[in-house]
Amino acid sequence: MPYSLIEKSFKKARSENRPALLTYTVAGDNTKKKSLEILKSISKFADICELGFPHNTPIADGGQIQTSSYRAIKNGIKIKDVFSIVRDFKKRENKPIILMGYYNMIYQYNENKFIQKCKKVKVDGLIVVDFPYPENKNFALKCKKNNINFVQLISPTTSKSRVKEIIRNSHDMIYYISMLSTTGGILKVSPKKILAEYNKIKSLNKKKNIVIGFGITEKTINSLKKADGLVVGSAICKIISKSIKKRQNIVTNVTNVVKRLKNKIV
């Protein structure tokens, strides 16, 4: 795989002696137009933008992301709209976009057709939450052949032998789930313990970019900044919900949160 935008983002963050900041928003929340505006605005501060496919049964996601997904689906967002948002974003921005979703919609869309569409609109990476290793090996290989990073997941219960296999078969980024919870849960494990587990995984291959996600907020992000990258999603979706309820400017409020998150890790 050629030198990717994802790899470049981690390299830039390392040169600035900080972790990469990864944001997560749901495509089409609260409208297709607003979703693109948010993406363009937060990309000034985020290193990598994760964009979620709205799903009616997001089994790994907590209340905040479920609410975001519900709003997007209610507004009629379809898979073609998600690709359209990525295409329009990529016309002017050169930040990496990682699409995140569930395997069922890829299966329904058709695997090969889905990967080709991702390539066409310049998607940089894919996270498929319910498609674990080794079942995802063939799909990950197809992604690699099309210069798309397939992001493998590791959790606190992944055995050491499986971790080694996953690292060996991973691309430019691995996602470490900080705790056994859905997204947006309160951090039940101390940052010190999370980093201790993270460092065990990192020691197996120090060249791999490993990010931490789940339960990261403005309060906890600074204590985890020794990681290669940190993912914030539910905290952003929460601000979108609050802004809608209070009839405030969504783009401004979300951008301010992302700016503050960035300031806490530089």
Side-chain angles (χ1 to χ4, degrees):
M1 192 187 290
Y3 195 56
S4 71
L5 267 183
I6 291 172
E7 185 60 53
K8 281 179 187 173
S9 298
F10 283 108
K11 192 175 180 183
K12 183 179 183 290
R14 271 195 300 276
S15 72
E16 294 170 6
N17 201 28
R18 63 172 178 84
L21 176 62
L22 292 84
T23 55
Y24 172 92
T25 52
V26 174
D29 184 23
N30 66 330
T31 65
K32 183 180 168 183
K33 183 172 178 281
K34 196 63 71 180
S35 179
L36 179 60
E37 284 176 26
I38 290 169
L39 210 52
K40 285 178 177 176
S41 186
I42 64 177
S43 69
K44 295 180 181 77
F45 305 101
D47 297 287
I48 297 169
C49 296
E50 289 181 10
L51 188 65
F53 280 95
H55 200 279
N56 61 1
T57 49
I59 53 170
D61 294 309
Q64 299 300 339
I65 292 173
Q66 283 182 27
T67 302
S68 282
S69 290
Y70 174 73
R71 275 194 298 263
I73 291 167
K74 194 180 173 188
N75 287 331
I77 291 292
K78 302 281 190 289
I79 289 182
K80 64 180 174 64
D81 299 311
V82 180
F83 285 130
S84 171
I85 290 167
V86 176
R87 186 194 63 226
D88 292 345
F89 174 80
K90 283 288 191 172
K91 280 177 185 173
R92 295 186 182 181
E93 309 293 336
N94 202 33
K95 283 279 168 82
I97 287 271
I98 295 175
L99 288 183
M100 189 169 184
Y102 295 85
Y103 182 68
N104 180 52
M105 56 167 200
I106 298 171
Y107 178 78
Q108 296 288 346
Y109 195 90
N110 179 280
E111 267 193 15
N112 295 330
K113 191 179 157 193
F114 183 86
I115 290 170
Q116 287 308 312
K117 189 68 178 175
C118 285
K119 187 180 181 179
K120 190 177 180 183
V121 300
K122 298 180 181 174
V123 168
D124 299 279
L126 283 174
I127 298 173
V128 188
V129 184
D130 57 347
F131 199 16
Y133 181 87
E135 285 79 10
N136 62 36
K137 273 178 89 171
N138 288 337
F139 183 77
L141 192 61
K142 286 180 189 177
C143 289
K144 193 172 185 176
K145 284 177 181 173
N146 286 279
N147 300 327
I148 298 164
N149 270 275
F150 184 85
V151 180
Q152 299 284 1
L153 302 172
I154 291 173
S155 82
T157 56
T158 309
S159 68
K160 192 173 179 180
S161 59
R162 264 176 62 75
V163 168
K164 284 180 179 177
E165 277 288 303
I166 289 168
I167 290 172
R168 198 177 300 122
N169 285 274
S170 65
H171 297 170
D172 290 342
M173 173 181 143
I174 295 168
Y175 191 121
Y176 177 63
I177 298 163
S178 68
M179 57 182 176
L180 301 177
S181 169
T182 53
T183 58
I186 295 165
L187 215 54
K188 298 169 187 169
V189 187
S190 73
K192 193 177 176 181
K193 280 186 179 176
I194 290 168
L195 283 173
E197 288 304 309
Y198 171 89
N199 287 331
K200 283 180 193 173
I201 297 162
K202 185 73 183 170
S203 68
L204 298 171
N205 188 332
K206 291 184 177 175
K207 289 180 181 177
K208 286 288 179 185
N209 302 303
I210 305 174
V211 305
I212 301 175
F214 284 47
I216 296 175
T217 63
E218 284 187 67
K219 287 180 181 177
T220 59
I221 195 165
N222 183 264
S223 57
L224 293 165
K225 68 178 186 179
K226 286 183 181 175
D228 295 328
L230 297 165
V231 187
V232 184
S234 294
I236 294 170
C237 294
K238 189 177 182 180
I239 292 298
I240 294 172
S241 295
K242 276 187 176 179
S243 303
I244 292 166
K245 195 176 181 182
K246 293 181 179 180
R247 297 186 178 184
Q248 293 172 343
N249 189 307
I250 300 168
V251 179
T252 302
N253 287 359
V254 171
T255 305
N256 286 339
V257 167
V258 175
K259 193 177 179 181
R260 288 199 302 269
L261 287 162
K262 183 73 171 280
N263 287 337
K264 286 179 185 291
I265 56 173
V266 292

